[in-house]
Amino acid sequence: MQIYRNFIGGAWHKSTETLQVIDPSDGTTVARIARGTVADISAAVAAAQSALDGEWGLLSAAERGRLLTRLSQLIRRDSEKLARLESQDVGKPLHQGRADASACARYFEFYGGAADKVHGDTIPYEEGFTVFSQWEPHGVTGHIIPWNYPMQIIGRSVGPALAMGNACVVKPAEDASLTALALARLVEEAGFPAGALNVVTGLGEEAGAALTEHPGIGHVSFTGSPEVGTLVQQAAAINRIPVTLELGGKSPHLVFADADLDIAAAAVVSAIVQNCGQTCAAGSRVLIEDAVYGDFTANLSARFSTLQAGPSDRNLDLGPLINAQQLARVKKYIDIAERDRLPIIGSGTIAPNAPEGGYYTKPILIGDVPPDHVLAQEEVFGPVLVAIRVRDEADALRVANGTPYGLVSGIWTKDIARAMRLSRKLRSGQVLINNYGAGGGIELPFGGMKGSGHGREKGFAALYGFASLKTVAVKHG
Ligand code: NAD
């Protein structure tokens, strides 16, 4: 059985203790990863700091961009291997693993191209002065990665950080670390100076906490649960460093009677099925105008009946959930729906012969959910879609904004004036009109309002998040 090591300062370090890597499709142990310690994190932060003080810190923006571009080419070269690794490790159908590998390559391509295009301003000031501003890296940046989209989230977080000249320490999730380690191998092959990127695997409360609390980091970026997000921000407050938090959502689709209902229904189903509903931007509430509630839920229900969940390598609509704890969490919400007699009006199936030990759950559609019910308020993080009846535009807006979250909203209507009105009033970081997901959207700033977090990732906005603006005033007479 393969035992993976940590990547620190350009070398692969063996660890005394290891953790199991479980295949969620059948519950078997397929490899072991290092259980990183406080000392490993300290070594990684020190290695990153020496990269900044040495070769990495001396590279021009164009040279950093070239390395990132080279990395994106290597990811494309190995994309099938990476896709299969991600698919097995997370339990996602292979087509989704392929999409993730492709998105990961795009992140490094985008940020490779952007590295030498970020510049400051010259600022008009008093006679006898020249004043300019420039963007500088924070220094060592910490990246706490979740298990749902490891490759994509490493690309979106580490890509802009490296482009701006930071040196990174990555702590992948204990449930899905393998592609982070595979990417570290490609960073090595691409010829990045030692220490520019370090990967330490391990438990959140050990290696993760050690990284977020480390006084040597200048920024921390976190994607995951709101509870841990709070701990990360508390640690950042003690060190007085900036933090980017992406904490998921309860993202609504607003479906109006004049929408192309068939196109909307296909997108709504795909947005909850993707990655078995374990997606921060999953459209997990569908708010349907009363006049088409029956037709639209019937359309959704017909689509749910064709969905199948099964092992990742069978490449069905859904894979398993990530682990037993996640399965119990989803089951808890389904039990609540049954207890409160909420009707299950659509359901997929678990594929025949799906291995006993896998963490499978059927995708379900729950009808007539009151907007303040726990199922309409809390993030299930599973393939559970709740349908909510709304009277009109004003009601849809009130319900859409009526959760603690604000990550993404989808609007489905042919009335562009209504769509534009709503887009201004919806409290979410992205508003998608007559589409959902915006094709992956590496270029499109992404992040939360309210409880979904703060800071922006993706696009050019992320580059400014990973840098500090310095103003230089020269008095020359
Ligand atoms: P989590 O927040 O516990 O883990 C995310 C990452 O944080 C992992 O790398 C983990 O090791 C690390 N971590 C955990 N405790 C830490 C600590 N004290 N200090 C620093 N880092 C720490 O998420 P989870 O347990 O994997 O999943 C629980 C729930 O979180 C899910 O059911 C889901 O609702 C939510 N979640 C959301 C997203 C998202 O994309 N928004 C992603 C994953 C999980």
Side-chain angles (χ1 to χ4, degrees), residues 143-149 153 156 171-175 177 202-213 220 222-229 231-232 235 246-249 278-281 322-323 325-326 329 379-382 405 407 446 452:
H143 305 260
I144 308 279
I145 309 295
W147 43 259
N148 54 348
Y149 290 87
I153 293 175
R156 91 177 184 204
K171 208 302 278 173
E174 43 274 54
D175 283 304
S177 292
L203 299 174
E205 57 275 27
E206 294 176 1
L211 178 56
T212 54
E213 289 164 11
V220 60
F222 171 81
T223 303
S225 60
E227 299 73 21
V228 178
L231 295 177
V232 169
E246 201 268 85
L247 309 176
Q278 303 165 116
T279 302
C280 46
I322 187 77
N323 56 27
Q325 190 191 353
Q326 195 65 19
R329 176 187 168 104
E379 187 181 43
V380 175
F381 230 56
Y405 292 105
L407 195 55
F446 173 82
S452 289

Side-chain angles (χ1 to χ4, degrees), residues 62-248:
E63 288 166 326
R64 292 197 304 270
R66 216 170 290 135
L67 283 169
L68 288 166
T69 306
R70 173 87 185 117
L71 177 58
S72 81
Q73 290 160 348
L74 296 176
I75 295 168
R76 277 198 213 290
R77 182 197 68 190
D78 288 359
S79 65
E80 186 60 18
K81 214 162 70 186
L82 289 166
R84 285 181 184 276
L85 196 59
E86 189 86 315
S87 167
Q88 184 188 38
D89 205 12
V90 182
K92 45 180 90 187
L94 191 52
H95 65 272
Q96 287 173 26
R98 288 186 177 128
D100 289 358
S102 159
C104 181
R106 263 295 285 145
Y107 277 114
F108 289 108
E109 184 177 62
F110 181 88
Y111 289 113
D116 58 356
K117 292 165 191 69
V118 178
H119 47 73
D121 294 311
T122 52
I123 300 164
Y125 193 55
E126 292 172 11
E127 191 55 35
F129 277 85
T130 298
V131 182
F132 61 92
S133 62
Q134 62 195 31
W135 290 97
E136 296 188 356
H138 291 304
V140 178
T141 50
H143 305 260
I144 308 279
I145 309 295
W147 43 259
N148 54 348
Y149 290 87
M151 254 197 294
Q152 285 213 41
I153 293 175
I154 289 171
R156 91 177 184 204
S157 158
V158 158
L162 291 172
M164 295 308 284
N166 300 281
C168 305
V169 178
V170 176
K171 208 302 278 173
E174 43 274 54
D175 283 304
S177 292
L178 300 189
T179 49
L181 296 164
L183 289 171
R185 284 224 175 273
L186 297 182
V187 162
E188 203 178 6
E189 186 183 342
F192 279 77
L197 179 125
N198 308 274
V199 178
V200 177
T201 60
L203 299 174
E205 57 275 27
E206 294 176 1
L211 178 56
T212 54
E213 289 164 11
H214 200 289
I217 61 170
H219 179 279
V220 60
S221 120
F222 171 81
T223 303
S225 60
E227 299 73 21
V228 178
T230 302
L231 295 177
V232 169
Q233 183 147 6
Q234 280 168 342
I238 288 169
N239 286 329
R240 288 179 288 273
I241 57 166
V243 48
T244 303
L245 295 183
E246 201 268 85
L247 309 176

Side-chain angles (χ1 to χ4, degrees), residues 1 37 39 49 52 90 174 206 210 223 230 277 327 354 406 409 449 462 473:
M1 182 173 299
T37 60
Q49 188 58 52
L52 287 167
V90 182
E174 43 274 54
E206 294 176 1
T223 303
T230 302
L327 184 60
S409 309
M449 290 187 183

Side-chain angles (χ1 to χ4, degrees), residues 268-283:
V268 167
V269 171
S270 133
I272 189 67
V273 163
Q274 188 179 323
N275 207 29
C276 207
Q278 303 165 116
T279 302
C280 46

